[in-house]
Amino acid sequence: MSGVTEPLEDSVRDLGDVPSIEVISRAAVMLLSASAERLGLADPDPDNSPRRDLDEARRLITALAGLITASGEYLGPHAAPLKDGLQSVQRAFREASVVPDEPGQGPGEKYTGPVY
């Protein structure tokens, strides 16, 4: 092998050294990505995606909505893109549902209000 590799201890950050906004943002991005996967949005044909699981997507979207709503005041410049992403997966869920939820009853809408 050529090049220098750093010891594992030097490449891993201590969780105590990670700012809270980074932890919150990373968790939100993970929930957002997982929601999109469960909606089948990573596949060319989401309607026939083997990863589509609307029950799992509902749970992930609700958790994402709760996290973003609860931490909104701390997100600063990250708030708007995360809220946009949340609304995108909420709308995608509504479009994917055979029997759409009533306004205000969709995933995460108890935290965000109705998404149309």
Side-chain angles (χ1 to χ4, degrees):
M1 290 188 345
S2 64
V4 177
T5 59
E6 59 185 276
L8 181 60
E9 301 85 38
D10 294 338
S11 65
V12 177
R13 291 169 65 188
D14 183 72
L15 194 54
D17 296 333
V18 180
S20 59
I21 186 62
E22 187 174 335
V23 174
I24 294 166
S25 296
R26 285 184 180 202
V29 168
M30 181 178 282
L31 288 166
L32 181 58
S33 297
S35 299
E37 284 284 336
R38 295 300 184 169
L39 289 168
L41 300 179
D43 293 316
D45 182 8
D47 292 333
N48 294 309
S49 171
R51 289 184 272 272
R52 180 174 266 189
D53 184 333
L54 296 183
D55 186 48
E56 287 289 309
R58 177 183 294 278
R59 295 172 188 182
L60 292 163
I61 294 167
T62 300
L64 175 62
L67 176 62
I68 290 174
T69 301
S71 59
E73 67 183 287
Y74 308 116
L75 293 174
H78 304 281
L82 289 172
K83 287 178 182 179
D84 289 346
L86 170 59
Q87 286 182 352
S88 293
V89 293
Q90 286 175 309
R91 285 188 190 103
F93 184 94
R94 186 169 293 285
E95 290 173 15
S97 297
V98 176
V99 179
D101 296 312
E102 292 293 320
Q105 301 301 307
E109 291 182 359
K110 67 181 177 181
Y111 301 113
T112 64
V115 175
Y116 300 97

Short mmCIF file of all heavy atoms in Angstrom, two decimals, residues 33-92:
data_model
loop_
_atom_site.label_atom_id
_atom_site.label_comp_id
_atom_site.label_asym_id
_atom_site.label_seq_id
_atom_site.Cartn_x
_atom_site.Cartn_y
_atom_site.Cartn_z
N SER A 33 -33.49 10.61 4.04
CA SER A 33 -33.02 9.66 3.04
C SER A 33 -33.74 8.32 3.16
O SER A 33 -34.16 7.73 2.16
CB SER A 33 -31.51 9.44 3.18
OG SER A 33 -30.81 10.63 2.93
N ALA A 34 -33.91 7.85 4.39
CA ALA A 34 -34.60 6.58 4.60
C ALA A 34 -36.07 6.68 4.18
O ALA A 34 -36.62 5.74 3.60
CB ALA A 34 -34.50 6.17 6.08
N SER A 35 -36.69 7.83 4.42
CA SER A 35 -38.08 8.04 3.99
C SER A 35 -38.19 7.96 2.47
O SER A 35 -39.09 7.30 1.94
CB SER A 35 -38.58 9.42 4.45
OG SER A 35 -38.56 9.53 5.84
N ALA A 36 -37.29 8.63 1.80
CA ALA A 36 -37.29 8.61 0.33
C ALA A 36 -37.10 7.19 -0.20
O ALA A 36 -37.76 6.77 -1.15
CB ALA A 36 -36.22 9.54 -0.21
N GLU A 37 -36.20 6.45 0.43
CA GLU A 37 -35.98 5.04 0.02
C GLU A 37 -37.26 4.23 0.19
O GLU A 37 -37.63 3.46 -0.69
CB GLU A 37 -34.86 4.41 0.87
CG GLU A 37 -33.49 4.85 0.49
CD GLU A 37 -32.97 4.19 -0.77
OE1 GLU A 37 -33.43 3.09 -1.14
OE2 GLU A 37 -32.08 4.79 -1.39
N ARG A 38 -37.92 4.38 1.34
CA ARG A 38 -39.14 3.60 1.61
C ARG A 38 -40.30 4.03 0.73
O ARG A 38 -41.24 3.28 0.54
CB ARG A 38 -39.55 3.72 3.08
CG ARG A 38 -38.55 3.12 4.02
CD ARG A 38 -38.36 1.65 3.76
NE ARG A 38 -37.46 1.11 4.76
CZ ARG A 38 -37.24 -0.16 4.94
NH1 ARG A 38 -37.82 -1.04 4.17
NH2 ARG A 38 -36.42 -0.56 5.86
N LEU A 39 -40.22 5.23 0.16
CA LEU A 39 -41.23 5.67 -0.80
C LEU A 39 -40.90 5.20 -2.21
O LEU A 39 -41.69 5.39 -3.13
CB LEU A 39 -41.35 7.20 -0.77
CG LEU A 39 -42.01 7.78 0.48
CD1 LEU A 39 -41.81 9.29 0.53
CD2 LEU A 39 -43.48 7.42 0.53
N GLY A 40 -39.71 4.61 -2.37
CA GLY A 40 -39.29 4.12 -3.67
C GLY A 40 -38.72 5.19 -4.56
O GLY A 40 -38.51 4.97 -5.76
N LEU A 41 -38.43 6.36 -4.01
CA LEU A 41 -38.00 7.50 -4.81
C LEU A 41 -36.60 7.34 -5.39
O LEU A 41 -36.22 8.08 -6.29
CB LEU A 41 -38.09 8.79 -4.00
CG LEU A 41 -39.49 9.15 -3.50
CD1 LEU A 41 -39.45 10.42 -2.68
CD2 LEU A 41 -40.46 9.27 -4.66
N ALA A 42 -35.83 6.37 -4.89
CA ALA A 42 -34.49 6.14 -5.42
C ALA A 42 -34.52 5.28 -6.68
O ALA A 42 -33.51 5.14 -7.36
CB ALA A 42 -33.61 5.49 -4.36
N ASP A 43 -35.67 4.73 -7.00
CA ASP A 43 -35.80 3.84 -8.16
C ASP A 43 -36.42 4.58 -9.34
O ASP A 43 -37.19 5.52 -9.15
CB ASP A 43 -36.65 2.63 -7.79
CG ASP A 43 -35.96 1.73 -6.78
OD1 ASP A 43 -34.75 1.48 -6.94
OD2 ASP A 43 -36.61 1.31 -5.82
N PRO A 44 -36.11 4.12 -10.55
CA PRO A 44 -36.68 4.77 -11.74
C PRO A 44 -38.21 4.74 -11.76
O PRO A 44 -38.84 5.65 -12.26
CB PRO A 44 -36.11 3.96 -12.91
CG PRO A 44 -34.98 3.18 -12.36
CD PRO A 44 -35.20 3.05 -10.89
N ASP A 45 -38.79 3.67 -11.22
CA ASP A 45 -40.24 3.54 -11.18
C ASP A 45 -40.68 3.34 -9.73
O ASP A 45 -40.80 2.21 -9.26
CB ASP A 45 -40.69 2.35 -12.04
CG ASP A 45 -42.20 2.19 -12.09
OD1 ASP A 45 -42.92 3.08 -11.58
OD2 ASP A 45 -42.66 1.17 -12.64
N PRO A 46 -40.89 4.44 -9.00
CA PRO A 46 -41.23 4.32 -7.58
C PRO A 46 -42.44 3.44 -7.30
O PRO A 46 -42.49 2.75 -6.29
CB PRO A 46 -41.50 5.76 -7.15
CG PRO A 46 -40.73 6.59 -8.11
CD PRO A 46 -40.79 5.84 -9.41
N ASP A 47 -43.43 3.44 -8.23
CA ASP A 47 -44.64 2.65 -8.01
C ASP A 47 -44.36 1.15 -7.95
O ASP A 47 -45.11 0.40 -7.33
CB ASP A 47 -45.66 2.91 -9.11
CG ASP A 47 -46.21 4.33 -9.04
OD1 ASP A 47 -46.22 4.90 -7.93
OD2 ASP A 47 -46.61 4.86 -10.09
N ASN A 48 -43.29 0.71 -8.58
CA ASN A 48 -42.94 -0.71 -8.60
C ASN A 48 -41.64 -1.00 -7.88
O ASN A 48 -41.01 -2.04 -8.12
CB ASN A 48 -42.87 -1.20 -10.05
CG ASN A 48 -44.24 -1.15 -10.70
OD1 ASN A 48 -45.22 -1.64 -10.16
ND2 ASN A 48 -44.31 -0.50 -11.86
N SER A 49 -41.22 -0.11 -7.02
CA SER A 49 -39.96 -0.28 -6.30
C SER A 49 -40.08 -1.42 -5.28
O SER A 49 -41.04 -1.48 -4.52
CB SER A 49 -39.61 1.00 -5.55
OG SER A 49 -38.52 0.77 -4.69
N PRO A 50 -39.09 -2.31 -5.26
CA PRO A 50 -39.09 -3.36 -4.23
C PRO A 50 -38.84 -2.80 -2.83
O PRO A 50 -39.09 -3.48 -1.84
CB PRO A 50 -37.95 -4.29 -4.66
CG PRO A 50 -37.06 -3.45 -5.50
CD PRO A 50 -37.95 -2.43 -6.16
N ARG A 51 -38.36 -1.56 -2.75
CA ARG A 51 -38.09 -0.93 -1.45
C ARG A 51 -39.29 -0.18 -0.89
O ARG A 51 -39.27 0.27 0.25
CB ARG A 51 -36.91 0.03 -1.58
CG ARG A 51 -35.59 -0.68 -1.77
CD ARG A 51 -34.47 0.32 -1.78
NE ARG A 51 -34.21 0.86 -3.10
CZ ARG A 51 -33.39 0.32 -3.98
NH1 ARG A 51 -32.75 -0.78 -3.68
NH2 ARG A 51 -33.20 0.87 -5.15
N ARG A 52 -40.33 -0.02 -1.70
CA ARG A 52 -41.48 0.77 -1.25
C ARG A 52 -42.18 0.07 -0.11
O ARG A 52 -42.55 -1.10 -0.19
CB ARG A 52 -42.46 1.00 -2.39
CG ARG A 52 -43.66 1.84 -1.92
CD ARG A 52 -44.56 2.20 -3.02
NE ARG A 52 -44.15 3.52 -3.51
CZ ARG A 52 -44.85 4.23 -4.38
NH1 ARG A 52 -45.95 3.76 -4.89
NH2 ARG A 52 -44.43 5.41 -4.74
N ASP A 53 -42.34 0.79 0.97
CA ASP A 53 -43.04 0.29 2.16
C ASP A 53 -43.65 1.53 2.84
O ASP A 53 -42.96 2.23 3.58
CB ASP A 53 -42.07 -0.44 3.09
CG ASP A 53 -42.75 -1.06 4.30
OD1 ASP A 53 -43.81 -0.54 4.74
OD2 ASP A 53 -42.22 -2.05 4.82
N LEU A 54 -44.91 1.79 2.55
CA LEU A 54 -45.53 3.02 3.03
C LEU A 54 -45.71 3.04 4.54
O LEU A 54 -45.68 4.11 5.15
CB LEU A 54 -46.86 3.25 2.32
CG LEU A 54 -46.77 3.50 0.81
CD1 LEU A 54 -48.15 3.79 0.23
CD2 LEU A 54 -45.79 4.62 0.49
N ASP A 55 -45.86 1.88 5.16
CA ASP A 55 -45.98 1.85 6.62
C ASP A 55 -44.66 2.31 7.25
O ASP A 55 -44.66 3.13 8.17
CB ASP A 55 -46.36 0.45 7.09
CG ASP A 55 -46.63 0.40 8.59
OD1 ASP A 55 -47.39 1.26 9.09
OD2 ASP A 55 -46.09 -0.51 9.26
N GLU A 56 -43.55 1.81 6.74
CA GLU A 56 -42.23 2.23 7.23
C GLU A 56 -41.99 3.70 6.91
O GLU A 56 -41.46 4.44 7.73
CB GLU A 56 -41.13 1.37 6.60
CG GLU A 56 -41.08 -0.04 7.15
CD GLU A 56 -40.56 -0.09 8.57
OE1 GLU A 56 -39.49 0.49 8.84
OE2 GLU A 56 -41.23 -0.71 9.41
N ALA A 57 -42.38 4.14 5.71
CA ALA A 57 -42.20 5.53 5.32
C ALA A 57 -42.97 6.45 6.26
O ALA A 57 -42.46 7.50 6.67
CB ALA A 57 -42.65 5.75 3.87
N ARG A 58 -44.18 6.07 6.62
CA ARG A 58 -45.00 6.88 7.54
C ARG A 58 -44.26 7.08 8.86
O ARG A 58 -44.20 8.19 9.39
CB ARG A 58 -46.35 6.21 7.78
CG ARG A 58 -47.24 6.94 8.78
CD ARG A 58 -48.54 6.20 9.06
NE ARG A 58 -49.39 6.13 7.89
CZ ARG A 58 -50.20 7.11 7.48
NH1 ARG A 58 -50.26 8.25 8.15
NH2 ARG A 58 -50.94 6.96 6.41
N ARG A 59 -43.69 6.04 9.39
CA ARG A 59 -42.98 6.13 10.67
C ARG A 59 -41.77 7.05 10.57
O ARG A 59 -41.52 7.88 11.45
CB ARG A 59 -42.54 4.74 11.12
CG ARG A 59 -43.69 3.83 11.43
CD ARG A 59 -43.23 2.42 11.68
NE ARG A 59 -44.38 1.55 11.79
CZ ARG A 59 -44.29 0.27 12.04
NH1 ARG A 59 -43.12 -0.30 12.21
NH2 ARG A 59 -45.39 -0.46 12.13
N LEU A 60 -41.00 6.88 9.50
CA LEU A 60 -39.80 7.69 9.32
C LEU A 60 -40.15 9.17 9.12
O LEU A 60 -39.49 10.05 9.68
CB LEU A 60 -39.00 7.17 8.13
CG LEU A 60 -38.35 5.79 8.34
CD1 LEU A 60 -37.95 5.18 7.00
CD2 LEU A 60 -37.16 5.91 9.28
N ILE A 61 -41.18 9.43 8.33
CA ILE A 61 -41.58 10.81 8.06
C ILE A 61 -42.10 11.47 9.34
O ILE A 61 -41.80 12.64 9.62
CB ILE A 61 -42.63 10.87 6.93
CG1 ILE A 61 -42.01 10.42 5.61
CG2 ILE A 61 -43.23 12.27 6.81
CD1 ILE A 61 -43.02 10.14 4.50
N THR A 62 -42.85 10.73 10.13
CA THR A 62 -43.35 11.27 11.39
C THR A 62 -42.20 11.59 12.34
O THR A 62 -42.18 12.65 12.98
CB THR A 62 -44.36 10.30 12.03
OG1 THR A 62 -45.45 10.13 11.13
CG2 THR A 62 -44.88 10.83 13.37
N ALA A 63 -41.21 10.70 12.41
CA ALA A 63 -40.04 10.95 13.25
C ALA A 63 -39.27 12.18 12.76
O ALA A 63 -38.83 13.01 13.55
CB ALA A 63 -39.13 9.73 13.28
N LEU A 64 -39.13 12.30 11.44
CA LEU A 64 -38.45 13.44 10.86
C LEU A 64 -39.20 14.74 11.19
O LEU A 64 -38.58 15.73 11.59
CB LEU A 64 -38.33 13.27 9.34
CG LEU A 64 -37.75 14.42 8.55
CD1 LEU A 64 -36.31 14.71 8.98
CD2 LEU A 64 -37.81 14.11 7.05
N ALA A 65 -40.51 14.73 11.05
CA ALA A 65 -41.31 15.92 11.36
C ALA A 65 -41.16 16.32 12.83
O ALA A 65 -41.02 17.50 13.15
CB ALA A 65 -42.78 15.67 11.03
N GLY A 66 -41.17 15.33 13.71
CA GLY A 66 -41.00 15.62 15.13
C GLY A 66 -39.64 16.22 15.43
O GLY A 66 -39.53 17.20 16.18
N LEU A 67 -38.60 15.66 14.82
CA LEU A 67 -37.25 16.16 15.05
C LEU A 67 -37.10 17.59 14.53
O LEU A 67 -36.59 18.47 15.23
CB LEU A 67 -36.22 15.25 14.37
CG LEU A 67 -34.76 15.70 14.46
CD1 LEU A 67 -34.29 15.77 15.90
CD2 LEU A 67 -33.88 14.77 13.63
N ILE A 68 -37.55 17.83 13.31
CA ILE A 68 -37.41 19.17 12.73
C ILE A 68 -38.24 20.20 13.50
O ILE A 68 -37.78 21.30 13.78
CB ILE A 68 -37.79 19.15 11.23
CG1 ILE A 68 -36.71 18.39 10.45
CG2 ILE A 68 -37.95 20.56 10.69
CD1 ILE A 68 -37.04 18.18 8.99
N THR A 69 -39.45 19.82 13.89
CA THR A 69 -40.30 20.74 14.64
C THR A 69 -39.71 21.05 16.01
O THR A 69 -39.65 22.21 16.42
CB THR A 69 -41.72 20.15 14.79
OG1 THR A 69 -42.25 19.91 13.48
CG2 THR A 69 -42.63 21.09 15.55
N ALA A 70 -39.23 20.02 16.69
CA ALA A 70 -38.69 20.21 18.03
C ALA A 70 -37.37 20.98 18.04
O ALA A 70 -37.07 21.67 19.00
CB ALA A 70 -38.50 18.86 18.71
N SER A 71 -36.61 20.86 16.98
CA SER A 71 -35.29 21.49 16.96
C SER A 71 -35.20 22.67 16.01
O SER A 71 -34.11 23.21 15.79
CB SER A 71 -34.23 20.45 16.60
OG SER A 71 -34.50 19.88 15.33
N GLY A 72 -36.32 23.12 15.49
CA GLY A 72 -36.34 24.20 14.51
C GLY A 72 -35.56 25.43 14.91
O GLY A 72 -34.85 26.02 14.10
N GLU A 73 -35.66 25.83 16.16
CA GLU A 73 -34.99 27.05 16.61
C GLU A 73 -33.47 26.91 16.61
O GLU A 73 -32.75 27.92 16.60
CB GLU A 73 -35.47 27.45 18.00
CG GLU A 73 -35.07 26.48 19.10
CD GLU A 73 -35.62 26.87 20.45
OE1 GLU A 73 -35.10 27.85 21.05
OE2 GLU A 73 -36.58 26.21 20.89
N TYR A 74 -32.96 25.68 16.59
CA TYR A 74 -31.51 25.47 16.64
C TYR A 74 -30.91 25.21 15.26
O TYR A 74 -29.69 25.20 15.13
CB TYR A 74 -31.18 24.27 17.53
CG TYR A 74 -31.80 24.35 18.89
CD1 TYR A 74 -32.75 23.42 19.29
CD2 TYR A 74 -31.46 25.37 19.78
CE1 TYR A 74 -33.34 23.50 20.55
CE2 TYR A 74 -32.04 25.46 21.03
CZ TYR A 74 -32.98 24.51 21.40
OH TYR A 74 -33.56 24.58 22.64
N LEU A 75 -31.74 25.00 14.26
CA LEU A 75 -31.25 24.57 12.96
C LEU A 75 -30.64 25.69 12.11
O LEU A 75 -29.91 25.42 11.17
CB LEU A 75 -32.36 23.88 12.17
CG LEU A 75 -32.83 22.55 12.74
CD1 LEU A 75 -34.04 22.04 11.97
CD2 LEU A 75 -31.70 21.52 12.72
N GLY A 76 -30.96 26.93 12.44
CA GLY A 76 -30.38 28.06 11.71
C GLY A 76 -30.57 27.91 10.21
O GLY A 76 -31.67 27.65 9.73
N PRO A 77 -29.48 28.03 9.44
CA PRO A 77 -29.58 27.97 7.98
C PRO A 77 -29.97 26.58 7.46
O PRO A 77 -30.33 26.44 6.30
CB PRO A 77 -28.18 28.36 7.50
CG PRO A 77 -27.28 28.08 8.65
CD PRO A 77 -28.11 28.28 9.89
N HIS A 78 -29.90 25.58 8.31
CA HIS A 78 -30.28 24.22 7.90
C HIS A 78 -31.79 24.01 7.93
O HIS A 78 -32.30 23.05 7.36
CB HIS A 78 -29.63 23.17 8.81
CG HIS A 78 -28.15 23.29 8.89
ND1 HIS A 78 -27.31 22.82 7.92
CD2 HIS A 78 -27.35 23.84 9.84
CE1 HIS A 78 -26.05 23.07 8.26
NE2 HIS A 78 -26.06 23.69 9.43
N ALA A 79 -32.51 24.89 8.60
CA ALA A 79 -33.95 24.69 8.81
C ALA A 79 -34.73 24.66 7.50
O ALA A 79 -35.52 23.73 7.27
CB ALA A 79 -34.52 25.78 9.72
N ALA A 80 -34.53 25.64 6.65
CA ALA A 80 -35.33 25.73 5.41
C ALA A 80 -35.15 24.51 4.50
O ALA A 80 -36.14 23.92 4.07
CB ALA A 80 -35.03 27.02 4.67
N PRO A 81 -33.91 24.09 4.21
CA PRO A 81 -33.77 22.91 3.34
C PRO A 81 -34.35 21.63 3.97
O PRO A 81 -34.92 20.80 3.26
CB PRO A 81 -32.26 22.76 3.13
CG PRO A 81 -31.63 23.98 3.65
CD PRO A 81 -32.63 24.71 4.49
N LEU A 82 -34.21 21.49 5.28
CA LEU A 82 -34.76 20.30 5.93
C LEU A 82 -36.29 20.33 5.90
O LEU A 82 -36.92 19.30 5.67
CB LEU A 82 -34.24 20.17 7.36
CG LEU A 82 -32.76 19.79 7.47
CD1 LEU A 82 -32.30 19.88 8.92
CD2 LEU A 82 -32.51 18.39 6.91
N LYS A 83 -36.87 21.50 6.13
CA LYS A 83 -38.34 21.61 6.06
C LYS A 83 -38.83 21.35 4.64
O LYS A 83 -39.86 20.71 4.45
CB LYS A 83 -38.79 22.99 6.55
CG LYS A 83 -38.68 23.16 8.05
CD LYS A 83 -39.10 24.55 8.49
CE LYS A 83 -38.93 24.70 9.99
NZ LYS A 83 -39.30 26.05 10.45
N ASP A 84 -38.10 21.85 3.64
CA ASP A 84 -38.47 21.59 2.24
C ASP A 84 -38.41 20.09 1.94
O ASP A 84 -39.30 19.54 1.29
CB ASP A 84 -37.54 22.34 1.28
CG ASP A 84 -37.77 23.83 1.29
OD1 ASP A 84 -38.81 24.30 1.83
OD2 ASP A 84 -36.89 24.56 0.76
N GLY A 85 -37.36 19.44 2.42
CA GLY A 85 -37.23 17.99 2.21
C GLY A 85 -38.36 17.23 2.88
O GLY A 85 -38.92 16.29 2.31
N LEU A 86 -38.70 17.65 4.09
CA LEU A 86 -39.80 17.02 4.82
C LEU A 86 -41.11 17.16 4.03
O LEU A 86 -41.83 16.18 3.83
CB LEU A 86 -39.95 17.65 6.21
CG LEU A 86 -41.20 17.27 7.00
CD1 LEU A 86 -41.29 15.78 7.23
CD2 LEU A 86 -41.22 18.05 8.32
N GLN A 87 -41.40 18.37 3.57
CA GLN A 87 -42.64 18.57 2.80
C GLN A 87 -42.63 17.74 1.51
O GLN A 87 -43.68 17.24 1.10
CB GLN A 87 -42.84 20.05 2.48
CG GLN A 87 -43.26 20.84 3.69
CD GLN A 87 -43.50 22.31 3.38
OE1 GLN A 87 -43.22 22.79 2.29
NE2 GLN A 87 -44.04 23.03 4.35
N SER A 88 -41.47 17.59 0.91
CA SER A 88 -41.37 16.79 -0.32
C SER A 88 -41.75 15.33 -0.07
O SER A 88 -42.49 14.74 -0.84
CB SER A 88 -39.97 16.86 -0.91
OG SER A 88 -39.69 18.15 -1.37
N VAL A 89 -41.23 14.75 1.02
CA VAL A 89 -41.57 13.34 1.28
C VAL A 89 -43.01 13.22 1.79
O VAL A 89 -43.66 12.21 1.51
CB VAL A 89 -40.56 12.63 2.22
CG1 VAL A 89 -39.20 12.49 1.55
CG2 VAL A 89 -40.42 13.32 3.57
N GLN A 90 -43.51 14.23 2.48
CA GLN A 90 -44.92 14.20 2.88
C GLN A 90 -45.82 14.21 1.64
O GLN A 90 -46.79 13.46 1.57
CB GLN A 90 -45.26 15.37 3.80
CG GLN A 90 -44.70 15.23 5.20
CD GLN A 90 -44.94 16.45 6.06
OE1 GLN A 90 -44.65 17.58 5.65
NE2 GLN A 90 -45.49 16.23 7.26
N ARG A 91 -45.50 15.05 0.67
CA ARG A 91 -46.29 15.09 -0.57
C ARG A 91 -46.15 13.79 -1.35
O ARG A 91 -47.13 13.27 -1.90
CB ARG A 91 -45.86 16.27 -1.43
CG ARG A 91 -46.35 17.59 -0.92
CD ARG A 91 -46.07 18.72 -1.93
NE ARG A 91 -46.33 19.98 -1.32
CZ ARG A 91 -45.39 20.82 -0.87
NH1 ARG A 91 -44.12 20.53 -1.01
NH2 ARG A 91 -45.74 21.96 -0.30
N ALA A 92 -44.93 13.26 -1.42
CA ALA A 92 -44.71 12.00 -2.14
C ALA A 92 -45.49 10.88 -1.48
O ALA A 92 -46.04 10.01 -2.17
CB ALA A 92 -43.21 11.67 -2.18
#
